[in-house]
Amino acid sequence: MKNFFYQVNVNYKRIVWRNKRFFFFSLALPVIFYLLFTKVMNVGVPANVMKEWQLNELVQMAIYSSLISSVIVVSNTLLEDREHHFTLFVRLTNNSYTRYYAGMLAVFLPLTILAVVVLGLVGILVNGVSASTVLWLSFIILLPLLSIPLVLMGMLISLASAANLVNLLNQITMFFMAIVSGLWWPIDMLPSWLQTIGKILPTYQISTIITEVMNKKAVELGNFIGLLLWTIFLFGALLVAFKFIRRREMQVI
């Protein structure tokens, strides 16, 4: 356990505090989009629902921040570790791949808390968004837990054979999920067939759960089941990919 916490500490330093790009893409970019959506692209929103709409947009941008850090930052970090033979170091020491990936989860999931805090402060100071302390705490606790499928998705993408392919899959995944699941604009604006696809994506299910909690509405169990199925599927896909990679390495040896 001591080795695990030491590895988590090292990962925080090398991935977060020494990586200024993380703060821009995972924090500054969602804040910019939030201000753009709530201060510029708010024409037509009735005054009586403006505060609720601004709160919902805050939720969407927090999930968008989690999507960026979980998919892009996770996959690129794991890819860089592989290219710089850090994973080989893990294999040659007493550390295991299980501990290595668990350490990554321990690094990236809490970072979503930082996104909620930053966006929450912007929403309160700029738009006067209000919610009870219990709701804010619920938001802070729920988002990291519900974001596990997104981190698993980033881990799976990192196993692509080349850096160019990883970056391509990153961009496709991020833009597709942000657009189709309704993070950038209401999902009702999309064609019905695209809405059907969007509603089965984990980002939509995360958004629906947290929005219902923040607006004090009944939470549908189906979205939790959907996220659980995504988690099982992605975890299974990772196990299959690891076995395939290990078999290929043994054949090379």
Side-chain angles (χ1 to χ4, degrees):
M1 185 62 71
K2 183 179 179 180
N3 291 337
F4 173 75
F5 285 116
Y6 174 77
Q7 185 173 326
V8 170
N9 181 51
V10 170
N11 285 340
Y12 263 109
K13 289 179 180 178
R14 70 188 183 89
I15 295 171
V16 181
W17 306 122
R18 297 176 185 174
N19 187 358
K20 295 180 176 60
R21 290 177 299 175
F22 166 79
F23 288 100
F24 176 77
F25 287 108
S26 297
L27 296 177
L29 199 58
V31 168
I32 292 171
F33 279 165
Y34 175 69
L35 294 175
L36 179 66
F37 291 150
T38 58
K39 287 299 183 182
V40 180
M41 302 173 64
N42 59 355
V43 179
V45 180
N48 61 323
V49 297
M50 179 64 75
K51 292 302 179 184
E52 180 180 345
W53 181 76
Q54 290 170 340
L55 177 61
N56 292 342
E57 284 298 315
L58 191 152
V59 171
Q60 309 303 325
M61 289 302 102
I63 297 170
Y64 178 55
S65 175
S66 178
L67 178 64
I68 294 175
S69 61
S70 299
V71 174
I72 295 182
V73 182
V74 166
S75 61
N76 283 329
T77 298
L78 296 177
L79 175 65
E80 289 176 4
D81 281 356
R82 190 167 73 246
E83 291 181 336
H84 291 91
H85 306 293
F86 185 80
T87 51
L88 178 62
F89 169 77
V90 172
R91 290 176 58 186
L92 296 176
T93 60
N94 293 327
N95 295 311
S96 65
Y97 274 130
T98 301
R99 185 183 297 169
Y100 170 69
Y101 282 99
M104 288 297 176
L105 277 171
V107 169
F108 285 103
L109 289 181
L111 292 177
T112 59
I113 297 175
L114 182 60
V116 174
V117 171
V118 171
L119 282 163
L121 288 174
V122 172
I124 293 170
L125 296 175
V126 177
N127 292 323
V129 171
S130 62
S132 67
T133 303
V134 173
L135 291 179
W136 283 117
L137 289 176
S138 300
F139 192 180
I140 288 173
I141 294 171
L142 277 174
L143 186 56
L145 296 176
L146 299 179
S147 296
I148 290 177
L150 303 182
V151 178
L152 294 177
M153 197 173 294
M155 290 180 176
L156 190 60
I157 291 174
S158 73
L159 299 178
S161 57
N164 289 338
L165 182 57
V166 169
N167 290 326
L168 177 62
L169 291 173
N170 278 339
Q171 298 302 320
I172 292 174
T173 301
M174 187 192 69
F175 285 111
F176 179 78
M177 295 182 72
I179 294 171
V180 177
S181 63
L183 296 184
W184 283 357
W185 47 69
I187 195 171
D188 295 339
M189 297 176 61
L190 301 175
S192 58
W193 64 271
L194 205 52
Q195 291 182 37
T196 303
I197 297 174
K199 289 178 181 179
I200 65 175
L201 295 176
T203 38
Y204 174 84
Q205 294 163 349
I206 296 170
S207 171
T208 302
I209 291 170
I210 296 180
T211 300
E212 289 170 344
V213 170
M214 295 299 287
N215 289 296
K216 302 179 182 179
K217 297 179 181 178
V219 179
E220 296 182 10
L221 182 61
N223 290 311
F224 283 106
I225 295 174
L227 287 175
L228 178 60
L229 292 176
W230 271 106
T231 302
I232 294 172
F233 169 75
L234 291 168
F235 185 74
L238 273 172
L239 291 180
V240 172
F242 289 149
K243 288 183 179 180
F244 175 78
I245 291 172
R246 180 156 299 187
R247 184 180 303 171
R248 187 176 60 185
E249 290 175 347
M250 292 300 293
Q251 290 175 349
V252 172
I253 295 173

